[in-house]
Amino acid sequence: MFSRRHLIQCATGLAASAVLPVAGPASAAEAATPPTGAAQIAASISGQLFDGDGLARPVPDSPTVSDLAKNLDRTLVLGGGGEYYVAWYCGFFHGLLEQNVDPTIAEMVVGTSAGSYLGSSLLSGRFGQLRTEFDFFGHFPGLFARLAPVTAPNASQKRAQDINAAVKDGSQETIRAIGHAALASDNHLNGDGVARLAWLLTGDSRTGWPTPKMFTTANDCYTGERIVVHQEVARRNDIPLARAAGASSSLPGIIGPTLLGQRYCMDGGISKTWAHTDLVAGSRRALVITLTNGYEGSLLTGIPHNIHDEIAALEAVGTKTMLIIAGTPPGISLLDPRQIEPALRAGYERSKTEAPRIRAFWA
């Protein structure tokens, strides 16, 4: 467990040591087409180099049983929502565990952004560390602001943030445009600094992938492809769990991008799927927890979503689903450390209502 002195020292060190990433080689192509224009040439070359890494996984356009989950019973999907939602999850799962509801009985956990932090810490046995740290930061939000600085944006950051907020669809072309702006953004916390922050907060492995149950999501900034990391492909591409969680929470124009294998990646929430529920399609039961319904409340992208459509797609392939929408107070910023303490309280109180329902659902 980290001491408070260590947290203060790391907050100062991380804020001072962020290093800009250098865009790496192009990643996997969308389709094999004769290379005529520049985009097609780039896609062809990219495909030849990256298709074998196993990281890209398209989002299906219609209800489809996932090969990752078709023989599983219980699965858990945890959506994203900034440090507010990390704190809410900490309060929520603390409350569930107090009431003897153990989320780690799930055979597969899909985590996006904040959900990747919580899922990985739960499965690696370090949840207590994360909860204690966020309890500490709830009392001292200024220290968290030093760990993950969100200052007045410079021009390159504002470009990435504004493009991400202004888009109107979740096509691969749109995600690629956001990704290119993210790559060109001069963020204060990026590259290895993002992975160090994830390691500091979650205690996740910096050298391996200790749990086969954990699946994290991200998006390739260069190609716009959805990236899914799990134990098999993590070992193939030498991706530690902490780095994958950091990449999943690399919000364009705020932090990151973060390197996964040889792909620079951004937040898993920058996708046409709100919570990547398709990955658990075909499991017998899926518990899905999201911050909002995808179109109301505090949002971190302009890409349109509707979690109810995703739930309908799960149920269309026979997956019984329980949906919990956390909700947010009106007008709050999901990236404001001053919201950590109220979010912890809100999550803990919500657990009292949901614990009996979850127990019955998973019984």
Side-chain angles (χ1 to χ4, degrees), residues 8 12 27 60 136 155 241 360 362:
I8 294 171
T12 303
S27 50
F136 171 70
L241 185 53
W362 271 351

Side-chain angles (χ1 to χ4, degrees), residues 156-185 187 219-224 250-257 264-267 269-272 300-305:
S156 65
Q157 288 179 300
K158 194 170 190 316
R159 175 173 59 189
Q161 293 174 25
D162 288 354
I163 292 173
N164 180 36
V167 297
K168 302 299 182 184
D169 68 78
S171 68
Q172 189 169 336
E173 179 183 6
T174 293
I175 295 168
R176 187 164 53 235
I178 299 170
H180 289 183
L183 285 169
S185 180
N187 298 328
N219 290 280
D220 186 314
C221 290
Y222 185 85
T223 67
S250 290
L251 190 63
I254 305 293
I255 64 172
Y264 274 104
C265 294
M266 61 181 173
D267 198 299
I270 312 303
S271 173
K272 70 177 183 179
L300 292 174
T301 181
I303 297 174
H305 299 108

Side-chain angles (χ1 to χ4, degrees), residues 41-89:
I41 292 171
S44 176
I45 293 172
S46 185
Q48 293 174 41
L49 294 172
F50 286 85
D51 278 352
D53 66 8
L55 292 170
R57 181 174 283 262
V59 179
D61 293 323
S62 59
T64 304
V65 172
S66 167
D67 63 313
L68 301 172
K70 60 185 177 182
N71 295 319
L72 301 182
D73 183 0
R74 303 179 185 92
T75 56
L76 174 63
V77 177
L78 304 175
E83 53 245 42
Y84 178 92
Y85 205 20
V86 177
W88 190 95
Y89 274 137

Side-chain angles (χ1 to χ4, degrees), residues 212-226:
K213 293 183 178 183
M214 188 65 208
F215 294 70
T216 66
T217 66
N219 290 280
D220 186 314
C221 290
Y222 185 85
T223 67
E225 293 171 295
R226 196 252 302 265

